[in-house]
Amino acid sequence: KNEVEQSPQNLTAQEGEFITINCSYSVGISALHWLQQHPGGGIVSLFMLSSGKKKHGRLIATINIQEKHSSLHITASHPRDSAVYICAPEGSARQLTFGSGTQLTVLP
Amino acid sequence: GAGVSQSPSNKVTEKGKDVELRCDPISGHTALYWYRQRLGQGLEFLIYFQGNSAPDKSGLPSDRFSAERTGGSVSTLTIQRTQQEDSAVYLCASSLVDRVNEKLFFGSGTQLSVL
């Protein structure tokens, strides 16, 4: 069983749709990161969460430590949001365990 | 510098040779991470430095891999006796240690090809 499960693996949406990507993990964590990897390979850190909810622009990330679950939401999605979104729980020694990623395609 | 700098950007080597990859983090970032991504696969954590020390080296794939960081700044990842399965993009990231607003800043990676 993978330690980090992301769903869906692939997601195609129309521009403007509300998008949710889910992440469940089985390891104990001190924090969880959401990353965005662009088609060219560049990686951008979106959020680091240890509890509750964070919002940045159209992106919202939530985490439920008791349920070992985190979600990333994108409101009013846009084609430029098309990327791979990666969930990465962080252990006590700062080691990250990466999910396999969700490939998001937003169509105009 | 303005961002995390990695060099070389591309490295082609022959099986059995040693390679050294360099990461220059953002000035003032005390935390530094190495990851790798094999073709078509997800990210894999290798090692984390807080200052010059690495509390957990268990992510390194084998004893052919080693990493060091000096002066709390530049880090080098060394792969000895390279194998074809070492071919990957090796990514470095750095961050301030801020448990509230921390973000990782990634370099553009070193593409390593072992022939």
Side-chain angles (χ1 to χ4, degrees), chain A residues 18-62:
Chain A
F18 180 83
I19 286 161
T20 296
I21 299 169
N22 293 301
C23 175
S24 295
Y25 53 92
S26 58
V27 298
I29 69 167
S30 60
L32 183 142
H33 297 257
W34 279 101
L35 310 173
Q36 179 191 54
Q37 186 167 27
H38 293 283
I43 298 175
V44 175
S45 176
L46 299 176
F47 295 103
M48 187 204 77
L49 291 163
S50 53
S51 65
K53 173 180 171 178
K54 284 191 176 178
K55 183 177 189 294
H56 182 71
R58 294 179 296 105
L59 302 177
I60 303 166
T62 63

Side-chain angles (χ1 to χ4, degrees), chain B residues 52-104:
Chain B
N52 291 335
S53 66
D56 182 359
K57 298 183 179 180
S58 62
L60 294 174
S62 76
D63 58 8
R64 296 185 294 104
F65 286 71
S66 63
E68 65 174 18
R69 189 179 185 196
T70 54
S73 181
V74 172
S75 177
T76 54
L77 177 69
T78 302
I79 309 172
Q80 295 179 307
R81 305 181 303 282
T82 51
Q83 303 294 312
Q84 288 183 328
E85 68 256 24
D86 300 334
S87 296
V89 176
Y90 287 82
L91 290 157
C92 175
S94 72
S95 70
L96 290 169
V97 179
D98 175 354
R99 296 277 80 185
V100 176
N101 296 309
E102 188 168 315
K103 278 195 175 183
L104 299 170

Side-chain angles (χ1 to χ4, degrees), chain B:
Chain B
V4 178
S5 176
Q6 290 187 247
S7 61
S9 53
N10 280 282
K11 176 72 177 177
V12 180
T13 191
E14 292 179 351
K15 179 180 170 182
K17 295 281 178 73
D18 297 352
V19 296
E20 190 173 277
L21 312 180
R22 176 187 167 109
C23 173
D24 204 339
I26 292 173
S27 178
H29 280 193
T30 55
L32 185 147
Y33 305 78
W34 283 99
Y35 309 99
R36 75 175 175 183
Q37 188 168 33
R38 290 169 164 158
L39 185 63
Q41 297 189 24
L43 286 160
E44 181 183 358
F45 171 82
L46 298 179
I47 194 168
Y48 154 69
F49 285 93
Q50 178 54 43
N52 291 335
S53 66
D56 182 359
K57 298 183 179 180
S58 62
L60 294 174
S62 76
D63 58 8
R64 296 185 294 104
F65 286 71
S66 63
E68 65 174 18
R69 189 179 185 196
T70 54
S73 181
V74 172
S75 177
T76 54
L77 177 69
T78 302
I79 309 172
Q80 295 179 307
R81 305 181 303 282
T82 51
Q83 303 294 312
Q84 288 183 328
E85 68 256 24
D86 300 334
S87 296
V89 176
Y90 287 82
L91 290 157
C92 175
S94 72
S95 70
L96 290 169
V97 179
D98 175 354
R99 296 277 80 185
V100 176
N101 296 309
E102 188 168 315
K103 278 195 175 183
L104 299 170
F105 293 82
F106 284 81
S108 52
T110 294
Q111 172 74 65
L112 176 65
S113 301
V114 182
L115 304 179

